[in-house]
Amino acid sequence: MKKVFVLVVLFILPLVAYLFFASGVNNFGRLPVLTEKVSDISTISKDYTFEDKITILGFVGNDVDLVKGNLFNLNQKIYKRFHEFNDFQMIMVAPIGVEKEVVDLKEELGQLADAKKWNFVFVEPKEIKNLFDGLKTDLSLDKNLGSPNVFIIDKKLSLRGRDDDEDEKVKYGFNTISVAELNNKMEDDVKIILAEYRLALKKNNADRSK
């Protein structure tokens, strides 16, 4: 009996655990697509693109001091955890005219982590509205052309989020005012989409080697 028990522990349980987690990846390891083919940031700034990148998209607005705390939350809870991934980027859209305030902000962010993937795009108000409206969410910009919410855009220009969120049912964006939301929801969702692409890459590499 002891030998049988040892064999079960050594061989059967690891197999069961593998099948369980493999099943979990297939069934629960994809972040839902909420909006397909959003407008690429390249349509308003030739220096950046959403294609082939996992993008955290935000809208700063024309009062940078007002949202500074939100961006520090995002920096500490999301950016610092994921900025070393090659295909990860932050794109924050702001109205023309706040460039100096953003330079100062980025310097402050850089004191906490390498800020090279904090990208700020300065455009006209109409372009900000068009980009935001193209996400097709149930959210809206405030009077400053900003939003406390940030959004996950995948490599194929789709907005990702939750379609069965316990609080909002459909969750298009993540509120940077709430540290708990960044910790408990957004971090998990960014992990999921990064894992999704890593699994796809491994599968493609395995298929090529056959």
Side-chain angles (χ1 to χ4, degrees):
M1 286 296 294
K2 288 183 179 179
K3 289 183 179 180
V4 172
F5 177 76
V6 170
L7 288 173
V8 168
V9 171
L10 291 178
F11 298 104
I12 305 300
L13 287 181
L15 178 60
V16 171
Y18 169 79
L19 293 173
F20 174 80
F21 287 113
S23 175
V25 166
N26 291 331
N27 293 327
F28 306 109
R30 291 185 63 84
L31 199 62
V33 172
L34 302 182
T35 304
E36 294 183 342
K37 298 298 179 183
V38 305
S39 298
D40 193 358
I41 192 69
S42 64
T43 61
I44 57 178
S45 175
K46 294 180 181 179
D47 295 329
Y48 303 101
T49 181
F50 293 150
E51 287 190 22
D52 298 321
K53 297 286 185 180
I54 297 166
T55 303
I56 306 303
L57 173 65
F59 296 82
V60 176
N62 56 34
D63 190 340
V64 176
D65 285 339
L66 184 66
V67 300
K68 187 178 289 188
N70 301 355
L71 298 183
F72 275 96
N73 289 342
L74 188 63
N75 188 68
Q76 294 301 101
K77 301 303 178 182
I78 301 299
Y79 180 80
K80 286 179 71 174
R81 286 176 167 84
F82 301 110
H83 74 279
E84 293 182 352
F85 286 91
N86 291 333
D87 45 7
F88 177 88
Q89 67 176 352
M90 310 281 285
I91 292 185
M92 301 289 120
V93 180
I96 293 171
V98 298
E99 289 87 345
K100 183 181 183 305
E101 291 90 337
V102 166
V103 168
D104 294 340
L105 169 64
K106 194 167 180 179
E107 286 182 1
E108 292 183 50
L109 292 170
Q111 294 174 9
L112 303 171
D114 183 350
K116 67 181 179 181
K117 289 188 179 179
W118 272 100
N119 303 304
F120 291 85
V121 178
F122 304 97
V123 296
E124 298 290 344
K126 182 179 179 181
E127 294 173 320
I128 294 174
K129 291 177 182 177
N130 288 341
L131 181 62
F132 188 91
D133 290 344
L135 299 176
K136 298 179 181 177
T137 73
D138 58 359
L139 303 166
S140 58
L141 292 171
D142 60 27
K143 63 181 181 180
N144 297 315
L145 297 175
S147 172
N149 294 283
V150 293
F151 306 90
I152 300 173
I153 310 296
D154 72 14
K155 295 183 177 185
K156 296 183 178 180
L157 281 72
S158 292
L159 172 66
R160 298 293 195 96
R162 299 185 175 198
D163 57 11
D164 61 349
D165 184 67
E166 62 270 23
D167 299 313
E168 303 173 39
K169 293 186 178 178
V170 179
K171 185 165 189 58
Y172 292 97
F174 300 86
N175 192 339
T176 57
I177 295 173
S178 172
V179 172
E181 182 162 312
L182 297 178
N183 263 335
N184 300 329
K185 293 185 180 183
M186 188 175 183
E187 181 183 347
D188 286 347
D189 288 5
V190 174
K191 285 179 180 177
I192 288 171
I193 196 167
L194 287 170
E196 179 184 325
Y197 281 112
R198 284 200 298 270
L199 286 171
L201 181 61
K202 287 180 180 179
K203 182 178 183 300
N204 290 337
N205 290 338
D207 290 343
R208 289 172 186 165
S209 64
K210 289 179 181 179

